[in-house]
């Protein structure tokens, strides 16, 4: 079954911006484009649009005004505002009147934009499911209550510690044992680690394995919003508190009461906002903008950052008192390079999910493909590995295992770790020049053979060798191909 890509409509009067956005998004989305609000409305009338990305500054009207109209006529479409110029008043008006899902500042980052739009598509689908559930609620409330209970139990199972993919007794297994141990204690937790290591997954695991598991789990990316908007999102505000506040807004601290609030990228918040957050954590109460009296909140805080907050404290960029309020316990997530034993398990899990999604048989990986995945260092961690598996899956014919030739060039050309140590690429401390050149030569020949599917004639032509010369070098380096077409590359002797 061929799954159709989710649809996104990009509206911007700048043709270059539209072209750049389309080029960035077309791999993951079916992209429609419009240079004006009028063109966009015409597309909305005749096409099935799930997400609309609109620039704020346009010639005839602002993006916010246009999105207000979209909300009235096409309320199901998820609305995203893209701008580098919006004032706080415009932004608040967009959130209140236009129902904007996300405000993205320019210059946008491709990975963040794609991630935001994928989440928007999920929200679109959830809205559609919610409408169906609302109908069922009117017809059979008891059946829906049972279904909600079943979904809660499914969430607990999905985000249980046992469901996190890892090797038994491996590096991550020790981290998970600690997480299971601390989840039942109602203390704040700080999750640290590189980008892409799965910090939100562990935050959910802490929540769904805690006594608060029946309460809500809400998340906010603190690095994605300016101070004023972050304050209104977390603490809420009263109608009339400022221009554009046309109705009361309940902040995430109140919405998450009885549950867990996940503050992602907490190391990015400004020092002025750190003071406000500290007061909430100290007093256990918030005061929404425009309200004269504080309100008590009962929330467990799980925060995350890819910064070294201790160093940030020493440098004076992060308040020490706030740091100690967040650090009830620290969960340090290892990078994927540090837990290489988990790479085959993760790769298989990602591939099985894709096979289920696209109704394909699971055929696994060639040994050569697994070796390439093991040799690469994965600076983007699990997120990068997931994208790599998806890329190779798209290029692999149905019914065949994923092969190394479909890897990205950066993965295909990665040297094994022991080879990197022998070569000492940067420092050049160990080994003679002859030994280093031999190692580089072996890696180049191996990469070319895999990429050209072991066509020795093409490899010899590309490398400027004769077939006899190529064969001699392959024998010297112990590079062979087994009967199944997979590579065996070992040192001779």
């Amino acid at each position: 079954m061929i799954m159709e890509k989710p649809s996104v409509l990009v509206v911007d009067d700048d043709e270059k911006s539209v072209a750049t956005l389309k080029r960035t998004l077309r791999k993951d989305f079916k992209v429609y484009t419009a240079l004006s609000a009028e063109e966009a409305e015409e597309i909305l009338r005749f096409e099935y649009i799930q997400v609309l990305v609109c620039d704020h500054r346009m010639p005839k009207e602002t993006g916010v005004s246009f999105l207000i109209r979209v909300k009235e006529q096409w309320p199901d479409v998820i609305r995203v505002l893209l701008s580098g110029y919006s004032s706080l008043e415009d932004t608040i008006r967009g959130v209140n009147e236009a129902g904007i899902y996300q405000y993205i500042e320019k210059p946008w980052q491709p990975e963040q934009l794609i991630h935001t739009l994928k989440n928007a598509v999920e929200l679109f689908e959830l809205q559609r499911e919610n409408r169906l559930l609302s109908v069922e609620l009117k017809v059979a409330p008891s059946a829906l209550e049972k279904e909600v209970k079943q979904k809660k139990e499914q969430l607990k199972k999905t985000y249980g510690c046992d469901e996190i993919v890892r090797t038994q007794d491996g590096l991550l297994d020790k981290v998970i044992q600690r997480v299971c141990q601390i989840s039942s204690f109602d203390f704040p937790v700080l999750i640290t680690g590189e980008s892409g290591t799965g910090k939100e997954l562990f935050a959910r695991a802490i929540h769904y394995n805690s006594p608060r598991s029946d309460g809500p789990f809400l998340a906010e990316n603190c690095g994605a919003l300016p101070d004023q908007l972050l304050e209104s999102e977390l603490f809420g505000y009263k109608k009339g508190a400022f221009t554009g506040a046309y109705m009361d807004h309940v902040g995430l601290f109140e919405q998450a009461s009885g549950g867990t609030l996940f503050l992602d990228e907490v190391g990015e918040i400004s020092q002025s906002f750190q003071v406000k957050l500290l007061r909430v954590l100290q007093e256990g109460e918030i005061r929404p903008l425009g309200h004269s009296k504080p309100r008590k909140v009962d929330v467990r805080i799980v925060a995350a950052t890819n910064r070294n907050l201790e160093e940030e404290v020493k440098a004076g960029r992060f308040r020490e008192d706030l740091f100690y309020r967040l650090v009830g316990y620290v969960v340090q997530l290892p990078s994927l390079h540090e837990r290489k034993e988990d790479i085959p398990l993760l790769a298989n899990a990602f591939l099985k999910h894709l096979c289920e999604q696209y109704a394909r048989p699971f055929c696994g990986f060639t040994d050569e493909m697994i070796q390439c995945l093991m040799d690469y260092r994965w600076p983007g961690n699990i997120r990068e590995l997931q994208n790599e598996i998806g890329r190779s899956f798209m290029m692999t014919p149905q019914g065949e295992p994923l092969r190394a030739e479909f890897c990205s060039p950066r993965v295909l050309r990665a040297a094994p770790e022991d080879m990197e140590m022998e070569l000492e690429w940067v420092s050049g401390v160990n080994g003679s020049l002859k030994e280093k050149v031999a190692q580089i030569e072996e890696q180049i020949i191996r990469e070319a053979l895999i990429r050209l599917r072991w066509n020795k004639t093409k490899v010899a032509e590309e490398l400027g060798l004769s077939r006899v010369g190529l064969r001699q070098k392959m024998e010297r380096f112990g590079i062979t191909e087994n009967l199944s077409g997979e590579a065996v590359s070992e040192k001779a002797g």
Side-chain angles (χ1 to χ4, degrees):
M1 185 178 76
I2 299 176
M3 302 290 289
E4 189 174 352
K5 293 179 181 179
S7 56
V8 172
L9 172 58
V10 175
V11 187
D12 194 327
D13 63 308
D14 187 332
E15 293 187 21
K16 290 184 178 179
S17 295
V18 168
T20 301
L21 284 163
K22 185 173 184 179
R23 189 165 55 248
T24 302
L25 302 175
R26 64 187 176 190
K27 179 182 175 182
D28 299 283
F29 305 94
K30 183 177 182 181
V31 183
Y32 296 85
T33 61
L35 298 175
S36 66
E38 291 79 8
E39 287 184 32
E41 288 177 338
E42 192 70 15
I43 293 171
L44 287 165
R45 288 190 190 98
F46 298 102
E47 301 293 345
Y48 179 69
I49 302 298
Q50 293 166 283
V51 182
L52 189 152
V53 181
C54 181
D55 187 51
H56 180 54
R57 286 198 170 181
M58 292 191 294
K60 295 183 179 179
E61 63 178 327
T62 65
V64 171
S65 298
F66 171 58
L67 292 179
I68 290 172
R69 203 161 64 251
V70 170
K71 180 185 178 184
E72 294 173 353
Q73 298 183 49
W74 297 277
D76 292 341
V77 175
I78 306 301
R79 298 163 292 281
V80 175
L81 186 66
L82 186 67
S83 178
Y85 311 102
S86 298
S87 65
L88 175 62
E89 182 177 334
D90 286 336
T91 305
I92 296 297
R93 181 170 175 247
V95 171
N96 287 335
E97 296 186 49
I100 291 173
Y101 165 68
Q102 188 77 46
Y103 167 76
I104 299 177
E105 290 185 286
K106 293 181 179 179
W108 45 267
Q109 298 298 319
E111 185 176 311
Q112 180 191 357
L113 178 63
I114 291 171
H115 180 68
T116 298
L117 296 188
K118 284 183 177 180
N119 286 343
V121 171
E122 289 183 14
L123 178 60
F124 180 91
E125 295 300 328
L126 285 171
Q127 285 184 168
R128 188 174 63 176
E129 292 177 17
N130 185 57
R131 286 197 303 274
L132 295 174
L133 288 173
S134 297
V135 173
E136 290 184 24
L137 180 61
K138 294 175 183 177
V139 177
S142 59
L144 186 56
E145 286 175 8
K146 182 179 178 181
E147 186 175 347
V148 168
K149 185 176 179 180
Q150 288 174 344
K151 286 185 176 181
K152 282 185 177 180
E153 292 302 318
Q154 182 60 42
L155 278 172
K156 292 178 185 179
K157 183 176 183 298
T158 300
Y159 293 107
C161 291
D162 293 339
E163 298 299 314
I164 299 176
V165 178
R166 83 279 194 179
T167 304
Q168 189 173 3
D169 297 325
L171 182 60
L172 193 67
D173 198 39
K174 297 175 183 176
V175 176
I176 291 171
Q177 290 175 15
R178 297 277 179 85
V179 167
C180 291
Q181 183 179 351
I182 66 169
S183 294
S184 58
F185 295 95
D186 208 25
F187 289 99
V189 178
L190 178 66
I191 304 174
T192 64
E194 297 176 5
S195 178
T197 50
K199 293 188 284 292
E200 184 169 345
L201 175 65
F202 274 82
R204 290 181 183 275
I206 290 169
H207 171 73
Y208 286 109
N209 286 277
S210 76
R212 293 177 175 267
S213 59
D214 286 331
F217 174 91
L218 297 177
E220 182 62 76
N221 187 333
C222 298
L225 298 174
D227 281 4
Q228 297 93 330
L229 193 54
L230 183 60
E231 182 177 0
S232 65
E233 282 297 296
L234 292 179
F235 307 148
Y237 52 81
K238 185 179 180 181
K239 178 181 178 181
F242 49 81
T243 304
Y246 295 107
M247 62 184 73
D248 289 349
H249 174 69
V250 179
L252 293 180
F253 267 95
E254 280 192 271
Q255 292 182 45
S257 192
T260 303
L261 180 58
F262 175 53
L263 301 178
D264 197 9
E265 302 299 346
V266 73
E268 306 300 320
I269 62 176
S270 69
Q271 290 187 316
S272 61
F273 191 77
Q274 289 174 30
V275 177
K276 298 175 181 179
L277 181 58
L278 174 64
R279 182 184 177 279
V280 173
L281 300 185
Q282 285 177 331
E283 305 298 331
E285 59 185 27
I286 61 166
R287 191 171 70 182
L289 291 170
H291 279 272
S292 58
K293 295 182 179 180
R295 298 179 181 178
K296 286 289 183 182
V297 289
D298 174 26
V299 175
R300 183 183 192 176
I301 296 295
V302 178
T305 182
N306 56 15
R307 292 179 180 267
N308 185 329
L309 285 192
E310 289 188 69
E311 293 298 323
E312 294 293 300
V313 169
K314 291 178 182 177
R317 291 187 291 267
F318 200 87
R319 292 182 63 96
E320 186 176 23
D321 44 7
L322 176 58
F323 173 74
Y324 287 116
R325 282 287 173 181
L326 295 172
V327 184
Y329 186 85
V330 177
V331 175
Q332 172 66 46
L333 297 185
S335 66
L336 186 55
H337 180 68
E338 294 173 304
R339 46 180 285 222
K340 297 184 74 170
E341 68 275 6
D342 294 336
I343 290 176
L345 292 175
L346 287 165
N348 274 288
F350 292 143
L351 181 57
K352 285 177 181 177
H353 177 74
L354 288 168
C355 289
E356 291 173 3
Q357 183 178 353
Y358 292 96
R360 283 192 180 187
F362 177 79
C363 297
F365 302 82
T366 64
D367 292 342
E368 195 171 55
M369 171 76 168
I370 291 294
Q371 190 59 52
C372 284
L373 298 179
M374 295 291 286
D375 290 344
Y376 185 59
R377 296 188 66 87
W378 302 107
N381 292 293
I382 298 171
R383 188 179 298 126
E384 185 182 6
L385 174 62
Q386 186 175 14
N387 290 340
E388 186 67 29
I389 300 304
R391 178 188 188 277
S392 300
F393 177 78
M394 288 189 291
M395 300 179 67
T396 300
Q398 187 168 341
E400 294 185 14
L402 269 63
R403 303 176 64 88
E405 66 200 66
F406 297 125
C407 284
S408 301
R410 66 181 184 279
V411 176
L412 186 59
R413 294 170 185 165
E417 188 170 346
D418 58 349
M419 184 179 294
E420 290 181 2
M421 294 172 64
E422 291 175 18
L423 288 173
E424 293 291 339
W425 296 99
V426 179
S427 61
V429 174
N430 300 320
S432 67
L433 176 62
K434 183 178 180 181
E435 290 170 336
K436 292 181 180 181
V437 171
Q439 292 282 2
I440 295 172
E441 189 175 13
E442 177 187 348
Q443 182 64 14
I444 291 172
I445 292 172
R446 179 175 177 269
E447 182 272 329
L449 284 165
I450 295 172
R451 178 164 43 83
L452 297 175
R453 305 186 70 170
W454 293 87
N455 187 319
K456 298 180 183 64
T457 300
K458 290 184 179 180
V459 172
E461 288 177 358
E462 181 177 298
L463 300 180
L465 300 169
S466 65
R467 279 184 59 88
V468 174
L470 175 62
R471 186 172 65 250
Q472 289 174 343
K473 289 182 181 293
M474 289 174 64
E475 290 173 356
R476 177 154 61 94
F477 295 129
I479 302 174
T480 60
E481 179 185 13
N482 66 17
L483 294 177
S484 66
E486 297 172 354
V488 178
S489 180
E490 299 178 351
K491 297 275 180 149

